[in-house]
Amino acid sequence: MALLFNANLLTTPPNFHSSASLCNFTPSIPLSHFKQLPNYSSLSIRCSTSESQQSESQESNQDAPKKKKRLSEQSSWEAKDSDGNDYLFRLGAEADNMNIAVGARAGVIDDLFAGNFLGKDSDIVFDYRQKVTRSFAYLQGDYYIAPAFLDKVVCHIVKNYISHLLNAKVPLILGIWGGKGQGKSFQTELIFQAMGIEPVIMSAGELESERAGEPGKLIRERYRTASQVVQNQGKMSCLMINDIDAGLGRFGNTQVTVNNQIVVGTLMNLCDNPTRVSVGQDWRQNDITHRIPIIVTGNDFSTMYAPLIRDGRMEKFYWQPTQEDIENIVCRMYEKDGITKDEVATIVNTFPNQALDFYGAMRSRTYDQSILKWVEDTGGAEDIGRRLIRQRKKGELPVFVPPEQTVEALLESGYSLVKEQKLIMDSKLSKEYMKNMDE
């Protein structure tokens, strides 16, 4: 038998020790020349006497299926489901991004990888998602909350959190509507602060997007984020959408977009299934979210889709503060200025039928003269930009002295505001620009 070496057909180096006992080797080149070959892995050996046996063994190896080596017999990563898909395939199908949507959560990621040093339920991006929640550290001082408003909001929130104990249908949404500037959003935030609630707050501007389906998905994500606050922080939470009729209402010939329809459908679905909320992944059997109450504010709910505001889904609350409520709220507003309650009553009676924000605007306008004087002390209007930016960082700006509030100054600013309101209503300059149109 002869050994034939072919440098172009090589796969593995020959095993001379194991082959020597089978046949006598007569190499066609001296063994001393092996060291001069550039790469032993480029050699192949063919034994002429056992060629038929080797070909038979190769054919049998090709016919037999290769058994994939498992990482571990106890690992769940390679476990197959009924469709033959492993864990990673199912995880990728359920989540848009494993790092964002799943994180290192026990029961979702293998416990070996979740570990104990981060906790059994450590979500690696919850710190990022937590930014969409609202804290009320900026609300300093005493504020008045109308009792009727407080009772309605507190009852709705508590009723949703104990809905599983009640033998009654509980609407998921509370719709607070009424005139403009009556403090619907601010009073609700004061109640959140008093109850220790960390809510997720949205605006009507987020209900539209250039991408179809994005606002609906955003609402579901925010709803699930509020659920995460309850689960991970042990705090009460809720979802609040301000001025919802501005985003979903129909005014005249307002165009209906796909996103409007999806948002309405999403809110209706949340009302019907408040604990099963999908953000695009496949449904999981154990993916149960906490029931999160929703509060929406607006001016005119009659412009919205009727099935959304029906009684089974939305509880309506019309907010119109009474004279006593207005006086108490304005009194707290002017309390630091030394304005008495009798003086507040005089101011409110002087300007009847005004919204609550009117009295805040009155106080703000009394600052105008003091601000102009401060600008002059800073260097004038020509130099205010440069000095304001630079000196603010260094803390070298002149001290601003707020004006002393008096009833006369407040009444004067109130009359100027009413004059501006009347001027807008009387002028109607848009008609001057379009005289050729019928009234």
mmCIF file of all heavy atoms in Angstrom, residues 141-164:
data_model
loop_
_atom_site.group_PDB
_atom_site.id
_atom_site.type_symbol
_atom_site.label_atom_id
_atom_site.label_comp_id
_atom_site.label_asym_id
_atom_site.label_seq_id
_atom_site.Cartn_x
_atom_site.Cartn_y
_atom_site.Cartn_z
ATOM 1 N N GLY A 141 -46.728 75.564 48.902
ATOM 2 C CA GLY A 141 -47.698 76.441 49.530
ATOM 3 C C GLY A 141 -49.052 75.780 49.680
ATOM 4 O O GLY A 141 -49.245 74.601 49.365
ATOM 5 N N ASP A 142 -50.003 76.555 50.179
ATOM 6 C CA ASP A 142 -51.355 76.062 50.417
ATOM 7 C C ASP A 142 -52.257 76.433 49.245
ATOM 8 O O ASP A 142 -52.237 77.566 48.758
ATOM 9 C CB ASP A 142 -51.921 76.665 51.710
ATOM 10 C CG ASP A 142 -51.178 76.163 52.945
ATOM 11 O OD1 ASP A 142 -50.655 75.036 52.887
ATOM 12 O OD2 ASP A 142 -51.124 76.906 53.939
ATOM 13 N N TYR A 143 -53.045 75.461 48.817
ATOM 14 C CA TYR A 143 -54.003 75.683 47.751
ATOM 15 C C TYR A 143 -55.362 75.162 48.192
ATOM 16 O O TYR A 143 -55.454 74.242 49.008
ATOM 17 C CB TYR A 143 -53.566 74.985 46.458
ATOM 18 C CG TYR A 143 -52.277 75.501 45.866
ATOM 19 C CD1 TYR A 143 -51.065 74.931 46.222
ATOM 20 C CD2 TYR A 143 -52.275 76.554 44.963
ATOM 21 C CE1 TYR A 143 -49.875 75.392 45.683
ATOM 22 C CE2 TYR A 143 -51.091 77.022 44.420
ATOM 23 C CZ TYR A 143 -49.889 76.441 44.790
ATOM 24 O OH TYR A 143 -48.722 76.909 44.268
ATOM 25 N N TYR A 144 -56.379 75.733 47.630
ATOM 26 C CA TYR A 144 -57.738 75.327 47.965
ATOM 27 C C TYR A 144 -58.237 74.349 46.910
ATOM 28 O O TYR A 144 -58.126 74.595 45.710
ATOM 29 C CB TYR A 144 -58.652 76.554 48.016
ATOM 30 C CG TYR A 144 -60.104 76.227 48.276
ATOM 31 C CD1 TYR A 144 -60.568 76.021 49.577
ATOM 32 C CD2 TYR A 144 -61.013 76.111 47.227
ATOM 33 C CE1 TYR A 144 -61.904 75.724 49.830
ATOM 34 C CE2 TYR A 144 -62.349 75.809 47.477
ATOM 35 C CZ TYR A 144 -62.777 75.613 48.768
ATOM 36 O OH TYR A 144 -64.092 75.304 49.006
ATOM 37 N N ILE A 145 -58.780 73.226 47.388
ATOM 38 C CA ILE A 145 -59.383 72.236 46.503
ATOM 39 C C ILE A 145 -60.876 72.218 46.782
ATOM 40 O O ILE A 145 -61.299 72.025 47.928
ATOM 41 C CB ILE A 145 -58.775 70.834 46.720
ATOM 42 C CG1 ILE A 145 -57.258 70.861 46.547
ATOM 43 C CG2 ILE A 145 -59.391 69.831 45.765
ATOM 44 C CD1 ILE A 145 -56.580 69.536 46.859
ATOM 45 N N ALA A 146 -61.663 72.416 45.754
ATOM 46 C CA ALA A 146 -63.111 72.430 45.924
ATOM 47 C C ALA A 146 -63.584 71.067 46.413
ATOM 48 O O ALA A 146 -63.186 70.030 45.858
ATOM 49 C CB ALA A 146 -63.794 72.796 44.611
ATOM 50 N N PRO A 147 -64.413 71.013 47.447
ATOM 51 C CA PRO A 147 -64.849 69.718 47.999
ATOM 52 C C PRO A 147 -65.543 68.826 46.976
ATOM 53 O O PRO A 147 -65.298 67.616 46.943
ATOM 54 C CB PRO A 147 -65.801 70.131 49.129
ATOM 55 C CG PRO A 147 -65.388 71.512 49.500
ATOM 56 C CD PRO A 147 -64.913 72.152 48.226
ATOM 57 N N ALA A 148 -66.419 69.411 46.130
ATOM 58 C CA ALA A 148 -67.125 68.592 45.144
ATOM 59 C C ALA A 148 -66.145 67.982 44.143
ATOM 60 O O ALA A 148 -66.285 66.812 43.742
ATOM 61 C CB ALA A 148 -68.173 69.435 44.416
ATOM 62 N N PHE A 149 -65.154 68.758 43.751
ATOM 63 C CA PHE A 149 -64.136 68.271 42.815
ATOM 64 C C PHE A 149 -63.313 67.165 43.465
ATOM 65 O O PHE A 149 -63.041 66.122 42.853
ATOM 66 C CB PHE A 149 -63.243 69.436 42.392
ATOM 67 C CG PHE A 149 -62.482 69.210 41.124
ATOM 68 C CD1 PHE A 149 -62.862 69.819 39.948
ATOM 69 C CD2 PHE A 149 -61.376 68.372 41.088
ATOM 70 C CE1 PHE A 149 -62.156 69.613 38.768
ATOM 71 C CE2 PHE A 149 -60.672 68.152 39.928
ATOM 72 C CZ PHE A 149 -61.068 68.777 38.757
ATOM 73 N N LEU A 150 -62.926 67.384 44.712
ATOM 74 C CA LEU A 150 -62.118 66.398 45.438
ATOM 75 C C LEU A 150 -62.870 65.082 45.578
ATOM 76 O O LEU A 150 -62.307 64.001 45.330
ATOM 77 C CB LEU A 150 -61.747 66.956 46.807
ATOM 78 C CG LEU A 150 -60.992 66.022 47.756
ATOM 79 C CD1 LEU A 150 -59.605 65.714 47.217
ATOM 80 C CD2 LEU A 150 -60.901 66.643 49.145
ATOM 81 N N ASP A 151 -64.137 65.157 45.955
ATOM 82 C CA ASP A 151 -64.908 63.934 46.164
ATOM 83 C C ASP A 151 -65.038 63.130 44.868
ATOM 84 O O ASP A 151 -64.925 61.891 44.882
ATOM 85 C CB ASP A 151 -66.298 64.283 46.697
ATOM 86 C CG ASP A 151 -66.243 64.853 48.107
ATOM 87 O OD1 ASP A 151 -65.195 64.697 48.758
ATOM 88 O OD2 ASP A 151 -67.242 65.470 48.530
ATOM 89 N N LYS A 152 -65.255 63.811 43.753
ATOM 90 C CA LYS A 152 -65.461 63.100 42.495
ATOM 91 C C LYS A 152 -64.195 62.382 42.034
ATOM 92 O O LYS A 152 -64.226 61.215 41.627
ATOM 93 C CB LYS A 152 -65.920 64.083 41.419
ATOM 94 C CG LYS A 152 -66.549 63.428 40.220
ATOM 95 C CD LYS A 152 -67.860 62.768 40.615
ATOM 96 C CE LYS A 152 -68.576 62.169 39.415
ATOM 97 N NZ LYS A 152 -69.833 61.528 39.810
ATOM 98 N N VAL A 153 -63.058 63.073 42.096
ATOM 99 C CA VAL A 153 -61.801 62.478 41.627
ATOM 100 C C VAL A 153 -61.354 61.355 42.552
ATOM 101 O O VAL A 153 -60.952 60.270 42.092
ATOM 102 C CB VAL A 153 -60.712 63.568 41.502
ATOM 103 C CG1 VAL A 153 -59.362 62.941 41.171
ATOM 104 C CG2 VAL A 153 -61.089 64.590 40.437
ATOM 105 N N VAL A 154 -61.415 61.579 43.855
ATOM 106 C CA VAL A 154 -60.988 60.552 44.809
ATOM 107 C C VAL A 154 -61.865 59.311 44.680
ATOM 108 O O VAL A 154 -61.363 58.171 44.682
ATOM 109 C CB VAL A 154 -61.028 61.111 46.247
ATOM 110 C CG1 VAL A 154 -60.811 59.992 47.261
ATOM 111 C CG2 VAL A 154 -59.972 62.183 46.428
ATOM 112 N N CYS A 155 -63.162 59.506 44.552
ATOM 113 C CA CYS A 155 -64.071 58.370 44.427
ATOM 114 C C CYS A 155 -63.770 57.564 43.168
ATOM 115 O O CYS A 155 -63.763 56.327 43.198
ATOM 116 C CB CYS A 155 -65.511 58.869 44.415
ATOM 117 S SG CYS A 155 -66.743 57.557 44.283
ATOM 118 N N HIS A 156 -63.502 58.247 42.063
ATOM 119 C CA HIS A 156 -63.231 57.535 40.814
ATOM 120 C C HIS A 156 -61.940 56.723 40.919
ATOM 121 O O HIS A 156 -61.894 55.565 40.481
ATOM 122 C CB HIS A 156 -63.119 58.538 39.664
ATOM 123 C CG HIS A 156 -62.718 57.917 38.367
ATOM 124 N ND1 HIS A 156 -63.578 57.159 37.593
ATOM 125 C CD2 HIS A 156 -61.533 57.913 37.692
ATOM 126 C CE1 HIS A 156 -62.949 56.726 36.521
ATOM 127 N NE2 HIS A 156 -61.710 57.167 36.554
ATOM 128 N N ILE A 157 -60.898 57.299 41.488
ATOM 129 C CA ILE A 157 -59.615 56.597 41.585
ATOM 130 C C ILE A 157 -59.739 55.380 42.495
ATOM 131 O O ILE A 157 -59.326 54.266 42.148
ATOM 132 C CB ILE A 157 -58.519 57.559 42.081
ATOM 133 C CG1 ILE A 157 -58.240 58.638 41.016
ATOM 134 C CG2 ILE A 157 -57.239 56.806 42.405
ATOM 135 C CD1 ILE A 157 -57.273 59.707 41.461
ATOM 136 N N VAL A 158 -60.311 55.581 43.676
ATOM 137 C CA VAL A 158 -60.428 54.482 44.636
ATOM 138 C C VAL A 158 -61.350 53.393 44.101
ATOM 139 O O VAL A 158 -61.080 52.186 44.254
ATOM 140 C CB VAL A 158 -60.928 55.015 45.989
ATOM 141 C CG1 VAL A 158 -61.191 53.864 46.955
ATOM 142 C CG2 VAL A 158 -59.915 55.989 46.580
ATOM 143 N N LYS A 159 -62.414 53.794 43.446
ATOM 144 C CA LYS A 159 -63.365 52.814 42.920
ATOM 145 C C LYS A 159 -62.715 51.908 41.883
ATOM 146 O O LYS A 159 -63.031 50.714 41.800
ATOM 147 C CB LYS A 159 -64.560 53.551 42.325
ATOM 148 C CG LYS A 159 -65.739 52.656 41.988
ATOM 149 C CD LYS A 159 -67.017 53.462 41.831
ATOM 150 C CE LYS A 159 -66.886 54.530 40.758
ATOM 151 N NZ LYS A 159 -68.178 55.186 40.473
ATOM 152 N N ASN A 160 -61.788 52.437 41.098
ATOM 153 C CA ASN A 160 -61.100 51.617 40.102
ATOM 154 C C ASN A 160 -60.083 50.685 40.751
ATOM 155 O O ASN A 160 -59.865 49.579 40.263
ATOM 156 C CB ASN A 160 -60.420 52.511 39.073
ATOM 157 C CG ASN A 160 -61.314 52.853 37.907
ATOM 158 O OD1 ASN A 160 -61.434 52.101 36.958
ATOM 159 N ND2 ASN A 160 -61.983 53.997 38.000
ATOM 160 N N TYR A 161 -59.456 51.128 41.839
ATOM 161 C CA TYR A 161 -58.472 50.276 42.501
ATOM 162 C C TYR A 161 -59.121 49.136 43.276
ATOM 163 O O TYR A 161 -58.460 48.125 43.545
ATOM 164 C CB TYR A 161 -57.571 51.108 43.409
ATOM 165 C CG TYR A 161 -56.380 51.699 42.684
ATOM 166 C CD1 TYR A 161 -56.424 52.973 42.155
ATOM 167 C CD2 TYR A 161 -55.212 50.961 42.522
ATOM 168 C CE1 TYR A 161 -55.342 53.517 41.490
ATOM 169 C CE2 TYR A 161 -54.112 51.495 41.854
ATOM 170 C CZ TYR A 161 -54.188 52.769 41.336
ATOM 171 O OH TYR A 161 -53.108 53.300 40.657
ATOM 172 N N ILE A 162 -60.383 49.286 43.664
ATOM 173 C CA ILE A 162 -61.065 48.208 44.393
ATOM 174 C C ILE A 162 -62.209 47.640 43.561
ATOM 175 O O ILE A 162 -63.144 47.046 44.118
ATOM 176 C CB ILE A 162 -61.587 48.712 45.756
ATOM 177 C CG1 ILE A 162 -62.653 49.786 45.557
ATOM 178 C CG2 ILE A 162 -60.455 49.228 46.624
ATOM 179 C CD1 ILE A 162 -63.367 50.162 46.857
ATOM 180 N N SER A 163 -62.112 47.780 42.250
ATOM 181 C CA SER A 163 -63.202 47.312 41.384
ATOM 182 C C SER A 163 -63.425 45.807 41.508
ATOM 183 O O SER A 163 -64.546 45.329 41.323
ATOM 184 C CB SER A 163 -62.905 47.673 39.928
ATOM 185 O OG SER A 163 -61.702 47.058 39.487
ATOM 186 N N HIS A 164 -62.344 45.057 41.812
ATOM 187 C CA HIS A 164 -62.487 43.606 41.945
ATOM 188 C C HIS A 164 -63.273 43.222 43.196
ATOM 189 O O HIS A 164 -63.721 42.076 43.329
ATOM 190 C CB HIS A 164 -61.111 42.944 41.979
ATOM 191 C CG HIS A 164 -60.247 43.412 43.117
ATOM 192 N ND1 HIS A 164 -59.656 44.652 43.136
ATOM 193 C CD2 HIS A 164 -59.891 42.801 44.277
ATOM 194 C CE1 HIS A 164 -58.958 44.793 44.255
ATOM 195 N NE2 HIS A 164 -59.089 43.681 44.967
#
